[in-house]
Amino acid sequence: MTALTLARNEWIKTTRRPALWVTLLCLLAIVGIVFFQRYSSGLSNDDVTPLRLPDGWAFILGEPGPMPAIFGAIVVILLVASEFSWRTARQNVIDGLSREQFYAGKVLLVPGMSLALLGLVVALGVAFALPGTGLSDLTGPLVGLDDLAFAGAVLLSMVGMGAMALFIASVVRSSGPAMALFFFYIAFGEQLLAALAARFIPAVAAVAHYAPGQVFMNMAEARIYYPSLQEAAVARALERGAAAPVFPSATVLVGVALGWTAFFLLAGFLAFRRRDL
Amino acid sequence: MTIIETRDLTKRYRRQLAVDRISFTVEAGQVFGFLGPNGSGKTTTIGMLLGITTPTAGEFRLFGEKGRGSLHRVRRRVGATLEQPNFYPYLSGYDNLRIAANVKGVGAARIDESLEVVRLTGRARDRYRTYSLGMKQRLALAATILGDPDLIILDEPANGLDPEGMREIREIIVELGQRGKTIFLSSHLLHEVERMCTHVAVIRKGKIIRQASVHDMLAANVVAELRGPDPVALGRAAGEYPGAVGACREDDGAVVVRLDDSDLGALNRYLAGRGIYVSHLGVRRRSLEDAFMEITTAGEEVAA
Ligand SMILES: Nc1ncnc2c1ncn2[C@@H]1O[C@H](COP(=O)(O)OP(=O)(O)OP(=O)(O)O)[C@@H](O)[C@H]1O
Ligand SMILES: [Mg+2]
């Protein structure tokens, strides 16, 4: 049993699943609208520079916000929880996978799905940005180091959210309730828990923004990775006479995100292994 | 060679002792029927053998091996289905088998062969969702034999099939048995077990109450049918026979005696010794069903 075999089976299960394609289309439609608005205002409005590369990367990667991560999580929940409701997880193990191998297949799904979704979003963004990009009069590289760092952070936020989804699906084992729990948690649950915890342990308030949902959602923000955007924001604030904004450290965010991701993958495995199939 | 061996295997759910210190052995080449009414613990027992359900106590060996790592290794030689067929509804039968084949490391040729055996080739490219119950059961059987396993474990393989479907499944199982495969199958259909199995264990309320070869199970406790000129005297004498478990007189004058062995000659000598001569002495053909009813009802009385 090799990782390749696991990947091949996950590929069959995933790509033939109609629910996956529906979810992907929804994501592309939402992101497509965002990109199209920016594209058309670049055409019709003289004050707005057209969407173009390389300066459009921050927009393409950052403007969809947490959408790709959330849709990635939905797909992970759908694909993992149904293995329990159809009892195919059971059959996979009967057919000869160890529980570790079965779970490893699902773990592969998380970065795989994140890469695929991010790739689609980027491809769509590039499609809108290419008409405005004069490839012949490019002076620097098409993709800068800041762009790569940002893309990596967006990918990590998607992987993190996917790991959280895998954990929830491994515990709840049923897609409806798992989905509900996931959305409740990222929309209110986490803040609620943080506020509650802070009442008893005041120190929690200081680190509440390192809660996993916060980290995964906030780290996909362009300004954290582009010094030029930060300088512009500081200049605008000073112009208004306001205090200069402070930006979270990218290194710390990435470190915390990696930590939470590892935690969710491990906790999901322990929850999965403990129970009968 | 011993293929399956359990010792005091026990599974307790929160409020339910589902399997209670079960011990049994299945030898190579046996077609072993695991017989019990609904809720008696058949699926739970099989689940433990397959690593799906964690035993509360006791142990078992497959092919002489125990322990997680070794069991995982020998499970390559096992093909099994637990309870209803479990497949991806949106995939075709073929793709479902492809996933199992990848896990088992067998090629496409085996998929085609297995589909052929269960006569599903024509519908293999249709989605599993669109299959009838009988087709789903047959796909499960195809998945079970896919890796050409030495041990085949089937949990109620004929559940919900029509007589024709049952006959087909039975033929396939009998033929696998003849090819030397060890087969462990659970059922509450006694008739089926009787026709397919060489050995049987009867489970009730999580306990094994009887384990024997089908032949012995049928031969033990022979039911003798007697007729004679004086049914009343015959009935009384037969009831007093030391080897009789019970006797009764039927409306048509026949006396039916249940013996604790199969020695009709001894019964006849005893009656002759008391001056009673019978005009007819025969064995009532018993099906396993009767034996089963008897055993399980006896269990009921003991439990009560
Ligand atoms: N996951 C579970 N949680 C709690 N109790 C369970 C669970 N699975 C089975 N049981 C209980 O264990 C007992 C044995 O169930 P099991 O499914 O093994 O019976 P069975 O012999 O396969 O029955 P059937 O012929 O109906 O399939 C039943 O009382 C059942 O309610
Ligand atoms: Mg059962």
Side-chain angles (χ1 to χ4, degrees):
Chain A
M1 178 60 44
T2 62
L4 193 69
T5 313
L6 290 179
R8 198 189 304 150
N9 272 355
E10 292 307 314
W11 176 261
I12 299 174
K13 296 178 198 173
T14 306
T15 53
R16 308 268 165 114
R17 181 94 185 256
L20 166 83
W21 297 107
V22 174
T23 314
L24 281 189
L25 278 181
C26 290
L27 172 65
L28 286 184
I30 293 174
V31 175
I33 291 171
V34 172
F35 289 164
F36 179 76
Q37 279 173 346
R38 175 68 180 78
Y39 170 77
S40 60
S41 71
L43 284 186
S44 55
N45 193 336
D46 288 340
D47 301 337
V48 181
T49 52
L51 186 60
R52 64 167 183 233
L53 300 177
D55 35 326
W57 285 121
F59 182 88
I60 292 173
L61 292 166
E63 203 57 23
M67 279 299 157
I70 288 176
F71 275 82
I74 293 177
V75 171
V76 168
I77 289 177
L78 279 179
L79 288 170
V80 174
S82 55
E83 295 267 12
F84 297 107
S85 32
W86 293 329
R87 298 198 170 180
T88 42
R90 173 189 269 198
Q91 190 62 42
N92 278 202
V93 169
I94 291 175
D95 286 340
L97 286 187
S98 66
R99 289 177 182 225
E100 287 78 5
Q101 287 165 338
F102 178 85
Y103 191 78
K106 297 297 145 193
V107 170
L108 286 180
L109 205 59
V110 172
M113 196 51 62
S114 304
L115 269 174
L117 260 55
L118 185 60
L120 280 174
V121 167
V122 166
L124 192 66
V126 168
F128 278 106
L130 269 187
T133 308
L135 281 177
S136 47
D137 39 58
L138 265 182
T139 49
L142 192 60
V143 184
L145 280 181
D146 292 344
D147 303 324
L148 283 180
F150 187 30
V154 172
L155 185 66
L156 178 57
S157 83
M158 295 176 72
V159 168
M161 203 77 107
M164 189 168 160
L166 174 57
F167 167 72
I168 292 178
S170 303
V171 171
V172 178
R173 294 191 168 191
S174 161
S175 36
M179 208 83 90
L181 184 61
F182 172 75
F183 279 112
F184 173 77
Y185 181 78
I186 59 168
F188 323 100
E190 191 171 272
Q191 278 104 307
L192 224 62
L193 282 178
L196 211 67
R199 286 190 71 150
F200 298 103
I201 317 162
V204 169
V207 292
H209 57 283
Y210 288 127
Q214 294 286 309
V215 170
F216 296 144
M217 303 248 263
N218 294 339
M219 72 184 295
E221 202 188 321
R223 291 194 303 185
I224 301 171
Y225 308 92
Y226 291 92
S228 57
L229 291 179
Q230 295 185 4
E231 283 156 20
V234 170
R236 269 201 308 278
L238 293 180
E239 222 167 81
R240 285 201 314 267
V246 271
F247 299 96
S249 146
T251 323
V252 171
L253 276 182
V254 166
V256 174
L258 282 174
W260 280 122
T261 304
F263 166 79
F264 282 124
L265 292 181
L266 187 70
F269 175 65
L270 295 178
F272 167 73
R273 198 184 52 175
R274 230 192 65 236
R275 276 163 54 191
D276 292 344
L277 283 176
Chain B
M1 182 193 179
T2 303
I3 305 294
I4 305 177
E5 182 180 4
T6 76
R7 257 218 339 259
D8 293 333
L9 200 55
T10 301
K11 176 69 182 185
R12 176 184 284 282
Y13 290 109
R14 215 159 293 163
R15 292 171 30 213
Q16 180 91 25
L17 189 57
V19 171
D20 187 7
R21 282 166 293 150
I22 273 188
S23 302
F24 63 90
T25 53
V26 178
E27 301 293 331
Q30 291 184 350
V31 179
F32 193 98
F34 197 44
L35 198 55
N38 290 135
S40 53
K42 305 183 292 294
T43 299
T44 306
T45 304
I46 296 178
M48 289 191 278
L49 297 178
L50 295 175
I52 296 300
T53 307
T54 317
T56 312
E59 59 170 36
F60 66 94
R61 289 168 186 269
L62 294 181
F63 297 97
E65 302 281 348
K66 64 172 191 172
R68 268 169 61 89
S70 314
L71 279 175
H72 175 62
R73 206 156 12 83
V74 294
R75 282 203 183 99
R76 290 186 179 290
R77 300 172 63 187
V78 181
T81 329
L82 191 58
E83 242 160 2
Q84 79 271 49
N86 307 313
F87 292 107
Y88 300 91
Y90 61 94
L91 291 179
S92 67
Y94 189 88
D95 281 337
N96 270 297
L97 291 188
R98 205 144 67 94
I99 287 178
N102 285 340
V103 172
K104 292 172 189 288
V106 299
R110 266 309 291 174
I111 301 181
D112 294 331
E113 274 172 42
S114 306
L115 285 166
E116 199 69 49
V117 170
V118 300
R119 289 175 212 115
L120 212 53
T121 310
R123 295 290 302 273
R125 300 288 170 173
D126 294 346
R127 285 179 183 225
Y128 175 73
R129 198 202 302 281
T130 66
Y131 285 6
S132 74
L133 178 61
M135 294 164 68
K136 289 176 178 171
Q137 299 268 36
R138 281 188 284 162
L139 186 67
L141 192 55
T144 304
I145 60 175
L146 193 59
D148 197 21
D150 299 317
L151 169 63
I152 296 170
I153 299 181
L154 300 164
D155 193 8
E156 312 222 16
N159 209 3
L161 295 184
D162 61 16
E164 175 63 17
M166 281 192 200
R167 193 180 55 76
E168 277 187 25
I169 296 268
R170 190 170 64 231
E171 281 171 6
I172 295 169
I173 291 173
V174 166
E175 134 110 65
L176 287 167
Q178 283 164 355
R179 276 175 40 205
K181 307 284 181 195
T182 307
I183 300 173
F184 182 89
L185 71 94
S186 83
S187 179
H188 56 249
L189 299 172
L190 310 140
H191 190 57
E192 290 296 312
V193 169
E194 187 175 4
R195 291 166 86 165
M196 285 187 278
C197 297
T198 57
H199 293 74
V200 62
V202 180
I203 178 173
R204 184 175 173 82
K205 293 186 175 163
K207 284 188 162 64
I208 289 202
I209 51 183
R210 187 90 189 259
Q211 182 180 355
S213 75
V214 168
H215 178 267
D216 289 349
M217 181 87 81
L218 292 179
N221 296 130
V222 151
V223 177
E225 183 185 282
L226 308 161
R227 285 175 197 278
D230 183 355
V232 179
L234 179 60
R236 193 177 325 111
E240 287 162 8
Y241 173 57
V245 179
C248 66
R249 195 151 41 82
E250 292 184 341
D251 291 344
D252 66 350
V255 172
V256 178
V257 191
R258 170 155 299 140
L259 304 177
D260 65 3
D261 57 17
S262 56
D263 194 349
L264 291 183
L267 170 63
N268 199 16
R269 282 194 296 279
Y270 171 82
L271 293 174
R274 292 191 43 166
I276 294 172
Y277 297 93
V278 298
S279 58
H280 168 88
L281 171 59
V283 174
R284 278 229 170 136
R285 203 197 106 71
R286 299 168 73 223
S287 68
L288 202 52
E289 180 125 21
D290 298 329
F292 177 74
M293 287 308 291
E294 230 169 73
I295 291 164
T296 52
T297 341
E300 187 93 300
E301 283 160 10
V302 170

